[in-house]
Amino acid sequence: MSINGHYDVLVIGGGPAGMMAAGTAAARGLRVLLIEKNDVLGRKLSMTGGGRCNITNAEYDVRALLHHYGEAEQFLFAPFAQFSVADTVTFFENEGMALKVEDRKRAFPKSESAQDVTDTMIRFLRKQGVEVLLSTAVEGFVTEQARITGVVTEKGVIRANAYILACGGRSHAHTGSTGEGLSWLEELGHTTHDSNPNLVPLLVEEVWVRKLSGTTLSNVSIQFAQGTQRVKKNGNILITHFGLSGPLILNVAHEVKQLLVHGAVTATIDLFPEEDIGSLRTRFQELYEAHPNKTVENLLKEWFSKKVIEMVLYPFPVEVRRTKGHALLRDVRHQLIERMKHITCTISGTMGYDWAIVSDGGVDLRDIDTRTMQSTVHQNLYLVGDVLHINRPSGGYSLQLCWTTGWVAGNSV
Ligand SMILES: Cc1cc2nc3c(=O)[nH]c(=O)nc-3n(C[C@H](O)[C@H](O)[C@H](O)COP(=O)(O)OP(=O)(O)OC[C@H]3O[C@@H](n4cnc5c(N)ncnc54)[C@H](O)[C@@H]3O)c2cc1C
């Protein structure tokens, strides 16, 4: 498309926050240009939720929902009073996309397709008459006194009355989120917090972990320890070829990173967090008495999958797995039970930006009027989505933040 004249609103970044902001502003009759550096819109959005897109969290109680946004909770009452989870669901239903809710209130499109969500947003932009300029990177802002008067691109300076910055954070940079927006905001006089990978898998030093790639450990506990500091969580853990992942790990990564500042962290997994050693010993005895001819390996099949058995038996000599349960020496039996309660590995780091669902850091919320998402430093600048400094867990909270802040900016600009 050719750039034609002066716009009311210029949106930088065609992710979920930018598309929601652009469409909402255009729906009010404003002339809106959306600039995206990729040759497609919503590249990251199309890969969310493992390709299924966890589009929001169906927690309709605003107070309960906002509790998940940590220190940002108070700032978010104003935007969520204008565009809530219920509004998100209605928005997508009106755009022809039905949603369904799964465990932990995670909402997905019924089609289970993240690409459908992107396509729905693109149809919304077309319907509202948003002009879209693809394959064009914004290189910076032009300012005069306290106003932004244009953005620099390879196609020249493009001007508008107001600007919405929606260029994301730093996670999965290959999708286009390379973080330059944060440097511009610093130059403009905004306070920003250092960016860090967050909701990120953890790297494990020991090689045995790799052999178990694809295994899920259900209803376990994991304790992370560094010096005298401890962090303990219960839930499901996914073992991958490099370490540990899954919602429990992603959500605790923030705390583990703080422990990692002081050195490697020891993780101890308890496969039976609800049961003490005494009760487990009794259960194991009942098991081998009930199956006197079964080897240890076969007995453990009553409790675990093949890969978890490998993990449990890893430090033991091979004879142990072939021994019949009742013939095991008492000490070895006790070591086996002890192992189920204390499987240790060393966490040497996180998987970094390329694997992080989000990066924390971003512009300080005190620099924003969250009733409008307007910058308090530059009156004609609005900030939305991942450029904001807001920590949150996995479960649809990130995209909800994009829908809400995008809508509020689009409706206020
Ligand atoms: C693998 C993965 C899975 C995820 N799954 C979920 C999930 O299921 N549910 C959930 O809630 N969240 C999920 N997230 C997080 C969610 O995707 C992000 O929070 C969300 O995409 C942020 O949206 P945004 O619009 O702020 O930024 P982005 O989606 O990062 O979009 C920013 C856009 O701006 C463009 N841009 C950047 N710089 C420039 C520039 N200089 N000029 C022009 N354009 C520019 C980029 O190319 C990009 O398209 C996931 C993230 C990842 C990486």
Side-chain angles (χ1 to χ4, degrees):
M1 76 160 264
S2 63
I3 306 143
N4 186 2
H6 192 95
Y7 293 89
D8 295 315
V9 182
L10 191 153
V11 181
I12 306 164
M19 289 193 276
M20 180 56 104
T24 305
R28 293 167 49 221
L30 299 174
R31 188 172 180 217
V32 181
L33 176 68
L34 171 61
I35 306 185
E36 165 57 52
K37 71 159 107 146
N38 290 327
D39 57 1
V40 290
L41 292 170
R43 184 160 279 163
K44 186 181 281 181
L45 177 60
S46 299
M47 59 190 271
T48 51
R52 297 199 309 135
C53 184
N54 181 186
I55 200 165
T56 184
N57 190 283
E59 173 55 84
Y60 292 101
D61 177 340
V62 176
R63 208 164 273 280
L65 180 88
L66 295 187
H67 205 57
H68 293 275
Y69 291 98
E71 288 171 10
E73 183 179 356
Q74 288 306 322
F75 289 96
L76 292 177
F77 274 103
F80 274 80
Q82 297 172 64
F83 197 84
S84 62
V85 170
D87 294 315
T88 302
V89 174
T90 306
F91 170 84
F92 280 103
E93 279 174 359
N94 288 343
E95 295 302 318
M97 166 160 281
L99 305 185
K100 61 170 182 169
V101 179
E102 295 189 2
D103 60 307
R104 294 186 287 124
K105 301 193 180 180
R106 294 171 308 146
F108 295 85
K110 269 198 175 139
S111 66
E112 304 212 337
S113 163
Q115 187 59 51
D116 278 357
V117 180
T118 303
D119 293 344
T120 300
M121 291 309 291
I122 293 172
R123 277 198 305 276
F124 172 58
L125 294 179
R126 280 204 199 109
K127 194 169 74 184
Q128 304 305 342
V130 173
E131 295 171 53
V132 178
L133 185 58
L134 295 174
S135 307
T136 306
V138 168
E139 290 160 17
F141 287 112
V142 183
T143 56
E144 275 167 35
Q145 281 125 26
R147 277 190 83 73
I148 296 174
T149 55
V151 295
V152 180
T153 73
E154 61 184 12
K155 294 173 177 135
V157 173
I158 308 177
R159 296 187 189 277
N161 294 333
Y163 300 82
I164 300 178
L165 185 63
C167 63
R170 282 215 165 109
S171 76
H172 285 249
H174 62 96
T175 62
S177 325
T178 40
E180 57 266 45
L182 295 180
S183 324
W184 304 335
L185 289 172
E186 274 168 33
E187 283 163 25
L188 289 175
H190 272 286
T191 305
T192 63
H193 295 263
D194 283 348
S195 177
N196 250 303
N198 199 6
L199 299 183
V200 63
L202 300 174
L203 197 60
V204 169
E205 226 165 72
E206 288 82 359
V207 284
W208 58 260
V209 168
R210 288 174 211 158
K211 295 190 188 144
L212 301 174
S213 176
T215 309
T216 298
L217 304 176
S218 305
N219 304 318
V220 300
S221 78
I222 184 162
Q223 175 172 275
F224 299 95
Q226 200 335 289
T228 54
Q229 290 177 289
R230 303 272 181 277
V231 175
K232 193 170 178 186
K233 300 281 170 192
N234 286 46
N236 300 346
I237 297 172
L238 174 68
I239 302 185
T240 67
H241 65 280
F242 50 77
L244 306 179
S245 190
L248 180 154
I249 297 296
L250 298 179
N251 289 328
V252 78
H254 186 65
E255 291 170 74
V256 177
K257 269 188 312 178
Q258 284 162 7
L259 300 185
L260 281 164
V261 172
H262 308 288
V265 167
T266 303
T268 306
I269 298 168
D270 181 349
L271 297 176
F272 293 105
E274 305 297 337
E275 218 171 334
D276 64 19
I277 292 215
S279 134
L280 266 180
R281 283 180 186 165
T282 309
R283 272 217 297 139
F284 189 63
Q285 184 173 344
E286 286 164 3
L287 187 65
Y288 67 69
E289 283 174 358
H291 305 278
N293 290 321
K294 280 196 177 176
T295 60
V296 166
E297 186 173 14
N298 282 332
L299 283 172
L300 292 183
K301 282 183 188 160
E302 304 285 327
W303 287 3
F304 305 119
S305 69
K306 202 162 171 283
K307 282 191 172 175
V308 178
I309 295 174
E310 290 311 310
M311 177 169 76
V312 171
L313 293 179
Y314 183 76
F316 292 91
V318 275
E319 305 87 77
V320 168
R321 67 174 62 211
R322 294 190 198 128
T323 308
K324 291 184 177 157
H326 63 86
L328 263 192
L329 290 175
R330 191 166 174 268
D331 273 2
V332 181
R333 239 172 25 230
H334 286 182
Q335 283 166 17
L336 199 60
I337 300 299
E338 178 72 15
R339 168 81 179 154
M340 294 174 200
K341 297 284 291 173
H342 297 99
I343 296 173
T344 56
C345 58
T346 314
I347 309 293
S348 51
T350 75
M351 289 298 289
Y353 286 116
D354 283 351
W355 288 81
I357 301 294
V358 294
S359 53
D360 53 16
V363 68
D364 193 300
L365 294 185
R366 283 169 297 194
D367 280 6
I368 295 166
D369 179 347
T370 51
R371 290 168 305 177
T372 56
M373 301 317 294
Q374 187 176 19
S375 155
T376 52
V377 180
H378 289 269
Q379 295 257 305
N380 63 341
L381 177 64
Y382 295 74
L383 303 165
V384 294
D386 272 7
V387 292
L388 305 169
H389 177 54
I390 300 175
N391 284 320
R392 66 273 179 183
S394 71
Y397 301 99
S398 297
L399 286 175
Q400 182 55 53
L401 209 51
C402 294
W403 311 131
T404 293
T405 56
W407 188 91
V408 169
N411 195 49
S412 314
V413 65

